[in-house]
Coordinates of all heavy atoms in Angstrom, one line a residue:
M1290 N 0.8 -1.2 0.0 CA 0.0 0.0 0.0 C 0.9 1.2 0.0 O 1.9 1.3 0.7 CB -0.9 0.0 1.2 CG -1.9 1.1 1.3 SD -3.0 1.0 2.7 CE -2.0 1.6 4.0
T1291 N 0.5 2.2 -0.7 CA 1.2 3.5 -0.8 C 1.1 4.2 0.5 O 0.0 4.4 1.0 CB 0.7 4.4 -1.9 OG1 0.7 3.6 -3.1 CG2 1.5 5.7 -2.0
P1292 N 2.3 4.6 1.1 CA 2.1 5.3 2.4 C 1.5 6.7 2.1 O 1.7 7.3 1.1 CB 3.5 5.5 2.9 CG 4.4 5.1 1.7 CD 3.6 4.3 0.7
V1293 N 0.7 7.1 3.1 CA 0.1 8.4 2.9 C 0.8 9.4 3.9 O 0.8 9.3 5.1 CB -1.4 8.3 3.4 CG1 -2.0 9.7 3.3 CG2 -2.1 7.3 2.6
T1294 N 1.4 10.4 3.2 CA 2.2 11.3 4.0 C 1.9 12.8 3.6 O 1.5 13.0 2.5 CB 3.7 11.1 3.9 OG1 4.0 11.2 2.5 CG2 4.1 9.8 4.4
G1295 N 2.1 13.7 4.5 CA 1.9 15.1 4.1 C 3.1 15.7 3.6 O 4.2 15.0 3.4
A1296 N 3.1 16.9 3.3 CA 4.3 17.7 2.7 C 5.4 17.7 3.6 O 6.6 17.6 3.2 CB 3.9 19.1 2.3
D1297 N 5.2 17.6 4.9 CA 6.3 17.6 5.9 C 6.8 16.2 6.2 O 7.6 16.0 7.1 CB 5.9 18.4 7.1 CG 4.7 17.7 7.8 OD1 4.2 16.6 7.3 OD2 4.3 18.1 8.9
G1298 N 6.2 15.2 5.5 CA 6.6 13.8 5.8 C 5.8 13.1 6.9 O 5.9 12.0 7.1
G1299 N 5.0 13.9 7.6 CA 4.1 13.3 8.6 C 2.9 12.8 8.0 O 2.6 12.9 6.9
A1300 N 2.1 12.1 8.9 CA 0.9 11.5 8.4 C -0.1 12.6 8.0 O -0.2 13.6 8.6 CB 0.3 10.7 9.5
A1301 N -0.8 12.3 6.9 CA -1.8 13.3 6.3 C -3.1 12.7 6.3 O -3.3 11.5 6.1 CB -1.4 13.7 5.0
N1302 N -4.1 13.5 6.6 CA -5.4 12.9 6.6 C -6.0 12.8 5.2 O -5.5 13.5 4.2 CB -6.4 13.9 7.4 CG -6.2 13.7 8.9 OD1 -5.6 12.6 9.4 ND2 -6.6 14.6 9.7
I1303 N -6.9 12.0 5.0 CA -7.6 11.7 3.8 C -8.8 12.5 3.7 O -9.7 12.5 4.6 CB -7.9 10.2 3.6 CG1 -6.7 9.4 3.7 CG2 -8.6 9.9 2.3 CD1 -7.0 7.9 4.2
G1304 N -9.0 13.2 2.6 CA -10.3 14.0 2.4 C -11.3 13.0 1.8 O -11.1 12.2 1.1
I1305 N -12.5 13.2 2.4 CA -13.7 12.3 1.9 C -14.7 13.3 1.3 O -15.2 14.2 2.0 CB -14.3 11.6 3.1 CG1 -13.3 10.7 3.8 CG2 -15.5 10.7 2.6 CD1 -13.8 10.1 5.1
R1306 N -15.0 13.1 0.0 CA -16.0 13.9 -0.7 C -17.1 13.0 -1.3 O -16.7 11.9 -1.8 CB -15.3 14.6 -1.8 CG -14.1 15.4 -1.4 CD -14.4 16.7 -0.5 NE -13.2 17.4 -0.2 CZ -12.6 17.3 0.9 NH1 -13.0 16.4 1.9 NH2 -11.4 17.9 1.2
V1307 N -18.3 13.4 -1.2 CA -19.4 12.8 -1.9 C -20.0 13.7 -2.9 O -20.4 14.9 -2.5 CB -20.5 12.3 -0.9 CG1 -21.7 11.7 -1.7 CG2 -19.9 11.2 0.0
D1308 N -20.1 13.4 -4.1 CA -20.7 14.2 -5.1 C -22.2 13.9 -5.1 O -22.7 12.9 -5.6 CB -20.2 14.0 -6.5 CG -20.7 14.9 -7.5 OD1 -21.9 15.4 -7.3 OD2 -20.1 14.9 -8.6
R1309 N -23.0 14.8 -4.5 CA -24.4 14.5 -4.3 C -25.1 14.6 -5.6 O -26.3 14.1 -5.7 CB -25.0 15.4 -3.2 CG -24.6 15.0 -1.8 CD -25.0 16.0 -0.7 NE -26.4 16.3 -0.6 CZ -27.2 15.5 0.1 NH1 -26.8 14.4 0.6 NH2 -28.4 15.8 0.1
D1310 N -24.6 15.2 -6.6 CA -25.3 15.3 -7.9 C -25.1 13.9 -8.6 O -25.9 13.6 -9.5 CB -24.5 16.3 -8.8 CG -24.9 17.7 -8.4 OD1 -26.0 17.9 -7.7 OD2 -24.1 18.6 -8.6
R1311 N -24.1 13.1 -8.2 CA -23.9 11.8 -8.8 C -24.5 10.7 -8.0 O -24.9 9.6 -8.4 CB -22.4 11.5 -9.0 CG -21.8 12.4 -10.0 CD -20.3 12.0 -10.2 NE -20.2 10.7 -10.9 CZ -19.2 10.3 -11.6 NH1 -18.1 11.1 -11.7 NH2 -19.2 9.2 -12.3
C1312 N -24.6 10.9 -6.6 CA -25.1 9.9 -5.7 C -26.5 9.4 -6.1 O -27.4 10.2 -6.4 CB -25.1 10.5 -4.3 SG -25.9 9.4 -3.1
A1313 N -26.6 8.1 -6.2 CA -27.9 7.5 -6.5 C -28.7 7.1 -5.3 O -29.8 6.5 -5.5 CB -27.6 6.3 -7.4
G1314 N -28.2 7.3 -4.1 CA -28.9 7.0 -2.9 C -29.0 5.5 -2.6 O -30.0 5.1 -1.9
S1315 N -28.1 4.8 -3.1 CA -28.2 3.3 -2.9 C -28.0 2.9 -1.4 O -28.4 1.8 -1.0 CB -27.1 2.6 -3.7 OG -25.8 2.9 -3.2
G1316 N -27.3 3.7 -0.7 CA -27.0 3.4 0.7 C -25.8 2.4 1.0 O -25.6 2.1 2.2
V1317 N -25.2 2.0 -0.1 CA -24.1 1.0 0.1 C -23.0 1.6 1.0 O -22.5 0.8 1.9 CB -23.5 0.6 -1.3 CG1 -22.4 -0.3 -1.1 CG2 -24.7 -0.1 -2.1
C1318 N -22.6 2.8 0.9 CA -21.6 3.4 1.6 C -21.9 3.4 3.1 O -21.1 3.0 4.0 CB -21.2 4.7 1.1 SG -22.5 5.9 1.1
A1319 N -23.1 3.8 3.4 CA -23.6 3.9 4.8 C -23.7 2.5 5.5 O -23.5 2.3 6.6 CB -24.9 4.7 4.9
L1320 N -24.1 1.6 4.6 CA -24.3 0.2 5.1 C -23.0 -0.5 5.5 O -22.9 -1.0 6.6 CB -25.0 -0.7 4.0 CG -25.2 -2.1 4.4 CD1 -26.2 -2.3 5.4 CD2 -25.7 -2.9 3.1
F1321 N -22.0 -0.3 4.6 CA -20.7 -0.9 4.9 C -19.8 -0.1 5.8 O -19.0 -0.7 6.5 CB -20.0 -1.3 3.6 CG -20.5 -2.5 2.9 CD1 -21.5 -2.3 1.9 CD2 -20.1 -3.8 3.2 CE1 -22.0 -3.4 1.3 CE2 -20.6 -4.9 2.5 CZ -21.6 -4.7 1.6
E1322 N -19.9 1.2 5.7 CA -19.0 2.0 6.5 C -19.7 3.1 7.2 O -19.6 4.4 6.9 CB -17.9 2.6 5.6 CG -16.9 1.5 5.0 CD -16.2 0.8 6.1 OE1 -16.0 1.3 7.2 OE2 -15.8 -0.4 5.8
P1323 N -20.6 2.8 8.1 CA -21.4 3.7 8.8 C -20.5 4.7 9.7 O -21.0 5.8 10.1 CB -22.3 3.0 9.7 CG -21.6 1.6 9.9 CD -20.9 1.4 8.6
R1324 N -19.3 4.4 10.0 CA -18.4 5.3 10.7 C -18.2 6.6 9.8 O -17.9 7.6 10.3 CB -17.1 4.7 11.0 CG -17.1 3.6 12.0 CD -15.8 2.9 12.1 NE -15.6 2.1 10.9 CZ -14.5 1.5 10.6 NH1 -13.5 1.5 11.5 NH2 -14.3 0.8 9.5
Y1325 N -18.2 6.5 8.5 CA -17.8 7.5 7.6 C -18.9 8.1 6.8 O -18.8 9.2 6.2 CB -16.7 7.1 6.7 CG -15.4 6.6 7.5 CD1 -15.1 5.3 7.6 CD2 -14.6 7.5 8.1 CE1 -14.1 4.8 8.3 CE2 -13.5 7.1 8.9 CZ -13.2 5.8 8.9 OH -12.2 5.4 9.7
F1326 N -20.0 7.3 6.6 CA -21.0 7.8 5.7 C -22.4 7.6 6.4 O -22.7 6.6 7.1 CB -21.0 7.0 4.4 CG -19.8 7.1 3.6 CD1 -18.8 6.1 3.8 CD2 -19.5 8.2 2.8 CE1 -17.6 6.2 3.1 CE2 -18.3 8.3 2.1 CZ -17.3 7.4 2.2
D1327 N -23.3 8.5 6.0 CA -24.7 8.5 6.5 C -25.5 8.8 5.3 O -25.0 9.2 4.2 CB -24.9 9.5 7.6 CG -26.2 9.3 8.3 OD1 -26.9 8.3 8.1 OD2 -26.5 10.2 9.2
Q1328 N -26.8 8.6 5.4 CA -27.8 8.9 4.3 C -28.7 10.0 4.9 O -29.3 9.8 6.0 CB -28.6 7.7 3.9 CG -28.1 7.0 2.7 CD -28.9 5.9 2.2 OE1 -29.1 4.9 2.9 NE2 -29.5 6.0 1.1
S1329 N -29.0 10.9 4.1 CA -30.0 12.0 4.5 C -31.4 11.4 4.6 O -31.8 10.6 3.7 CB -30.0 13.1 3.4 OG -31.1 13.9 3.6
E1330 N -32.0 11.7 5.7 CA -33.4 11.3 5.8 C -34.4 12.0 4.9 O -35.5 11.7 4.6 CB -33.8 11.4 7.3 CG -33.2 10.5 8.2 CD -33.7 10.5 9.7 OE1 -34.8 11.2 9.9 OE2 -33.0 10.0 10.5
E1331 N -33.8 13.2 4.4 CA -34.7 14.1 3.6 C -34.7 13.6 2.1 O -35.8 13.4 1.5 CB -34.2 15.5 3.6 CG -34.4 16.1 4.9 CD -34.0 17.6 5.0 OE1 -33.7 18.1 3.9 OE2 -34.0 18.2 6.1
D1332 N -33.5 13.3 1.6 CA -33.5 13.0 0.1 C -32.8 11.6 -0.1 O -32.7 11.2 -1.3 CB -32.8 14.1 -0.7 CG -31.3 14.4 -0.2 OD1 -30.8 13.6 0.5 OD2 -30.8 15.4 -0.6
G1333 N -32.3 11.0 0.9 CA -31.8 9.6 0.8 C -30.3 9.6 0.2 O -29.7 8.6 0.1
L1334 N -29.8 10.8 0.0 CA -28.5 10.9 -0.6 C -27.4 10.8 0.5 O -27.7 11.0 1.7 CB -28.3 12.2 -1.4 CG -29.2 12.4 -2.6 CD1 -28.9 13.7 -3.3 CD2 -29.2 11.2 -3.5
A1335 N -26.2 10.4 0.1 CA -25.2 10.1 1.1 C -24.6 11.4 1.7 O -24.6 12.5 1.0 CB -24.0 9.4 0.4
L1336 N -24.2 11.3 2.9 CA -23.6 12.4 3.6 C -22.4 11.9 4.2 O -22.5 10.9 5.1 CB -24.5 13.0 4.7 CG -25.8 13.7 4.2 CD1 -26.7 13.9 5.4 CD2 -25.5 15.0 3.4
P1337 N -21.2 12.5 4.1 CA -20.1 12.0 4.8 C -20.2 12.4 6.2 O -20.6 13.6 6.5 CB -18.9 12.7 4.1 CG -19.4 13.6 3.1 CD -20.9 13.5 3.0
R1338 N -20.0 11.6 7.1 CA -20.0 11.9 8.6 C -18.8 12.8 9.0 O -18.9 13.6 10.0 CB -20.0 10.7 9.4 CG -21.3 9.9 9.4 CD -21.3 8.8 10.4 NE -22.4 7.9 10.3 CZ -23.5 8.1 10.9 NH1 -23.7 9.2 11.6 NH2 -24.6 7.3 10.7
V1339 N -17.7 12.6 8.3 CA -16.5 13.4 8.6 C -15.9 13.9 7.2 O -16.1 13.2 6.2 CB -15.4 12.6 9.3 CG1 -16.0 12.3 10.7 CG2 -15.1 11.4 8.6
R1340 N -15.2 14.9 7.2 CA -14.6 15.4 6.0 C -13.2 14.9 5.8 O -12.6 14.9 4.7 CB -14.5 17.0 6.0 CG -16.0 17.6 6.1 CD -16.4 18.6 5.2 NE -15.5 19.1 4.2 CZ -15.8 19.0 2.8 NH1 -17.0 18.5 2.5 NH2 -15.0 19.5 2.0
E1341 N -12.6 14.4 6.9 CA -11.3 13.8 6.8 C -11.2 12.6 7.7 O -11.9 12.5 8.7 CB -10.3 14.9 7.3 CG -10.1 16.1 6.5 CD -9.0 16.9 6.9 OE1 -8.5 16.8 8.0 OE2 -8.5 17.9 6.1
A1342 N -10.3 11.7 7.4 CA -10.1 10.6 8.2 C -8.6 10.3 8.2 O -7.8 10.7 7.4 CB -10.8 9.3 7.6
A1343 N -8.2 9.6 9.2 CA -6.7 9.2 9.4 C -6.3 8.3 8.3 O -7.1 7.6 7.7 CB -6.6 8.6 10.8
P1344 N -5.0 8.3 8.0 CA -4.4 7.5 6.9 C -4.8 6.0 7.1 O -4.9 5.3 6.0 CB -3.0 7.8 7.0 CG -2.8 9.0 7.7 CD -4.0 9.2 8.6
E1345 N -5.0 5.6 8.3 CA -5.2 4.2 8.5 C -6.6 3.7 7.9 O -6.8 2.6 7.7 CB -5.2 3.8 10.0 CG -3.8 3.9 10.7 CD -3.3 5.3 10.9 OE1 -4.2 6.3 10.9 OE2 -2.1 5.6 10.9
A1346 N -7.5 4.7 7.7 CA -8.8 4.4 7.1 C -8.8 4.2 5.6 O -9.8 3.9 5.0 CB -9.7 5.5 7.5
L1347 N -7.6 4.5 5.0 CA -7.6 4.4 3.6 C -8.1 3.2 2.9 O -8.9 3.2 2.0 CB -6.2 4.7 3.0 CG -6.0 4.9 1.5 CD1 -7.0 6.0 1.0 CD2 -4.6 5.2 1.2
P1348 N -7.8 1.9 3.4 CA -8.3 0.7 2.8 C -9.8 0.6 2.9 O -10.4 0.3 1.8 CB -7.6 -0.4 3.7 CG -6.4 0.2 4.1 CD -6.7 1.7 4.5
V1349 N -10.4 1.0 3.9 CA -11.8 0.8 4.0 C -12.5 1.9 3.2 O -13.6 1.7 2.6 CB -12.4 0.8 5.5 CG1 -11.9 -0.4 6.2 CG2 -12.1 2.1 6.2
L1350 N -11.9 3.1 3.1 CA -12.5 4.2 2.3 C -12.3 3.8 0.8 O -13.3 4.2 0.1 CB -11.8 5.5 2.6 CG -12.1 6.0 4.1 CD1 -11.2 7.2 4.3 CD2 -13.6 6.4 4.1
R1351 N -11.3 3.2 0.5 CA -11.1 2.8 -1.0 C -12.2 1.8 -1.3 O -12.7 1.7 -2.4 CB -9.7 2.3 -1.2 CG -8.7 3.3 -1.4 CD -7.4 2.7 -1.9 NE -6.5 3.7 -2.4 CZ -5.2 3.7 -2.2 NH1 -4.6 2.7 -1.7 NH2 -4.4 4.6 -2.8
A1352 N -12.4 0.9 -0.3 CA -13.4 -0.2 -0.6 C -14.8 0.4 -0.8 O -15.5 0.1 -1.6 CB -13.4 -1.2 0.6
A1353 N -15.0 1.4 0.1 CA -16.4 2.1 0.0 C -16.5 2.8 -1.3 O -17.5 2.7 -2.0 CB -16.5 3.1 1.2
A1354 N -15.4 3.5 -1.7 CA -15.5 4.2 -3.0 C -15.7 3.2 -4.2 O -16.4 3.5 -5.1 CB -14.3 5.0 -3.2
S1355 N -15.0 2.1 -4.1 CA -15.1 1.2 -5.2 C -16.5 0.5 -5.3 O -16.9 0.0 -6.3 CB -14.0 0.1 -5.1 OG -14.2 -0.8 -4.0
R1356 N -17.1 0.3 -4.1 CA -18.5 -0.2 -4.1 C -19.6 0.7 -4.5 O -20.6 0.3 -4.9 CB -18.8 -0.6 -2.6 CG -18.2 -1.9 -2.1 CD -18.8 -2.3 -0.8 NE -17.9 -3.2 -0.1 CZ -17.2 -2.9 1.0 NH1 -17.2 -1.7 1.5 NH2 -16.4 -3.8 1.5
C1357 N -19.3 2.0 -4.5 CA -20.4 3.0 -4.9 C -20.7 2.8 -6.3 O -19.9 2.9 -7.2 CB -19.8 4.4 -4.7 SG -21.0 5.7 -5.2
P1358 N -22.0 2.5 -6.6 CA -22.4 2.2 -8.0 C -22.4 3.5 -8.9 O -22.4 3.3 -10.1 CB -23.8 1.7 -7.9 CG -24.3 2.2 -6.6 CD -23.1 2.3 -5.7
A1359 N -22.4 4.6 -8.3 CA -22.4 5.9 -9.0 C -21.0 6.6 -9.1 O -21.0 7.6 -9.8 CB -23.4 6.8 -8.3
G1360 N -20.0 6.1 -8.5 CA -18.7 6.7 -8.6 C -18.8 8.1 -8.0 O -18.1 9.0 -8.4
A1361 N -19.6 8.2 -6.9 CA -19.8 9.5 -6.3 C -18.8 9.8 -5.1 O -18.8 10.9 -4.6 CB -21.2 9.6 -5.8
I1362 N -18.1 8.8 -4.8 CA -17.2 9.1 -3.6 C -15.7 9.3 -4.1 O -15.2 8.5 -4.9 CB -17.2 7.8 -2.7 CG1 -18.6 7.6 -2.1 CG2 -16.1 8.0 -1.5 CD1 -18.8 6.3 -1.3
T1363 N -15.2 10.4 -3.7 CA -13.8 10.7 -4.0 C -13.0 10.8 -2.8 O -13.4 11.4 -1.8 CB -13.8 12.1 -4.8 OG1 -14.6 12.0 -6.0 CG2 -12.3 12.5 -5.2
L1364 N -11.8 10.2 -2.8 CA -10.9 10.4 -1.7 C -9.7 11.3 -2.1 O -9.2 11.1 -3.3 CB -10.3 9.0 -1.4 CG -11.3 7.9 -1.1 CD1 -10.7 6.6 -0.8 CD2 -12.2 8.3 0.1
V1365 N -9.3 12.2 -1.3 CA -8.3 13.1 -1.6 C -7.2 12.8 -0.7 O -7.3 13.0 0.5 CB -8.8 14.6 -1.5 CG1 -7.6 15.5 -1.8 CG2 -10.0 14.8 -2.3
V1366 N -6.0 12.3 -1.2 CA -4.9 12.0 -0.4 C -3.8 13.0 -0.6 O -3.3 13.1 -1.7 CB -4.3 10.6 -0.8 CG1 -3.2 10.2 0.1 CG2 -5.4 9.6 -0.7
P1367 N -3.6 13.9 0.3 CA -2.7 15.0 0.2 C -1.3 14.5 -0.1 O -0.9 13.4 0.2 CB -2.7 15.7 1.6 CG -3.9 15.3 2.2 CD -4.2 13.9 1.7
D1368 N -0.5 15.4 -0.8 CA 0.8 15.2 -1.1 C 1.0 14.2 -2.3 O 1.7 14.5 -3.2 CB 1.6 14.7 0.1 CG 3.2 14.8 -0.1 OD1 3.6 15.9 -0.6 OD2 3.9 13.9 0.1
T1369 N 0.4 13.0 -2.2 CA 0.5 12.1 -3.3 C -0.4 12.6 -4.5 O -0.2 12.1 -5.6 CB 0.0 10.6 -2.9 OG1 -1.3 10.8 -2.6 CG2 0.8 10.2 -1.7
R1370 N -1.2 13.5 -4.2 CA -2.2 14.1 -5.2 C -3.0 13.0 -5.8 O -3.5 13.1 -6.9 CB -1.4 14.8 -6.3 CG -0.4 15.9 -5.8 CD -0.4 17.1 -6.6 NE 0.6 18.0 -6.2 CZ 0.4 18.9 -5.2 NH1 -0.8 18.9 -4.5 NH2 1.3 19.7 -4.8
E1371 N -3.2 11.9 -5.0 CA -4.1 10.9 -5.4 C -5.5 11.3 -5.2 O -5.9 11.9 -4.1 CB -3.8 9.6 -4.6 CG -4.9 8.5 -4.9 CD -4.6 7.3 -4.1 OE1 -3.6 7.2 -3.4 OE2 -5.5 6.4 -4.0
S1372 N -6.3 11.3 -6.2 CA -7.7 11.6 -6.0 C -8.5 10.5 -6.7 O -8.3 10.2 -7.9 CB -8.0 12.9 -6.7 OG -9.4 13.2 -6.5
A1373 N -9.2 9.7 -5.9 CA -9.8 8.5 -6.5 C -11.2 8.3 -6.1 O -11.6 8.6 -4.9 CB -9.0 7.3 -6.0
A1374 N -12.0 8.0 -7.1 CA -13.3 7.4 -6.8 C -13.1 5.9 -7.1 O -13.0 5.5 -8.3 CB -14.4 8.0 -7.7
G1375 N -12.9 5.1 -6.1 CA -12.5 3.7 -6.3 C -11.0 3.9 -6.6 O -10.2 4.5 -6.0
D1376 N -10.6 3.3 -7.7 CA -9.2 3.4 -8.2 C -9.1 4.3 -9.4 O -8.1 4.4 -10.0 CB -8.7 2.0 -8.6 CG -8.5 1.2 -7.4 OD1 -8.1 1.7 -6.3 OD2 -8.8 0.0 -7.5
R1377 N -10.1 5.1 -9.6 CA -10.1 6.1 -10.7 C -9.4 7.4 -10.3 O -9.5 7.9 -9.3 CB -11.6 6.4 -11.1 CG -11.6 7.3 -12.3 CD -13.1 7.8 -12.5 NE -13.4 8.8 -11.5 CZ -14.6 9.1 -11.1 NH1 -15.6 8.5 -11.6 NH2 -14.8 10.1 -10.2
A1378 N -8.5 7.8 -11.2 CA -7.7 9.0 -11.0 C -8.4 10.1 -11.7 O -8.9 9.9 -12.9 CB -6.3 8.8 -11.5
D1379 N -8.7 11.2 -11.1 CA -9.3 12.4 -11.7 C -8.3 13.3 -12.3 O -7.2 13.4 -11.8 CB -10.2 13.1 -10.8 CG -11.5 12.3 -10.5 OD1 -11.9 11.6 -11.4 OD2 -12.0 12.5 -9.4
Ligands
LIG1416 S1 -22.7 4.1 -2.3 FE1 -22.5 5.9 -3.7 S2 -24.6 6.1 -4.7 FE2 -24.8 4.8 -2.8 S3 -25.5 6.3 -1.2 FE3 -23.2 6.1 -1.1 S4 -22.4 7.8 -2.4 FE4 -24.6 7.5 -2.9

């Protein structure tokens, strides 16, 4: 696994983004990773519970992004400039 480091070499947090225009409201993210995702009771679309997560969360966040049927979850990994919805680079 690629180490996640910040510009100063220290651990960097992972940004979690959900594109609500793409989200289909399937609820898969909230079902598998309720620590990081919730679903709006109003419109059923996903809501990230947190905007950032510790580097150790990267495997589960990648799994959540790869399961999303709409490709609506983007992970922002600072320094490496990795931005992925699943394994997709933007
Ligand atoms: S898995 Fe994707 S489409 Fe389904 S609720 Fe989560 S962000 Fe939306």
Side-chain angles (χ1 to χ4, degrees):
M1290 184 174 82
T1291 304
V1293 181
T1294 57
D1297 62 357
N1302 285 342
I1303 302 156
I1305 303 170
R1306 308 287 182 264
V1307 173
D1308 183 342
R1309 289 172 57 83
D1310 290 333
R1311 294 183 72 158
C1312 175
S1315 69
V1317 174
C1318 56
L1320 178 66
F1321 282 92
E1322 294 301 334
R1324 290 170 294 174
Y1325 300 107
F1326 300 96
D1327 194 6
Q1328 261 185 297
S1329 167
E1330 291 185 14
E1331 292 181 8
D1332 59 15
L1334 301 181
L1336 296 168
R1338 288 187 185 274
V1339 293
R1340 302 228 3 120
E1341 293 186 347
E1345 293 75 23
L1347 187 57
V1349 296
L1350 290 172
R1351 277 186 168 148
S1355 68
R1356 286 188 196 106
C1357 174
I1362 299 172
T1363 299
L1364 306 178
V1365 180
V1366 182
D1368 196 45
T1369 62
R1370 308 219 183 279
E1371 175 183 348
S1372 179
D1376 290 325
R1377 186 188 71 203
D1379 289 331

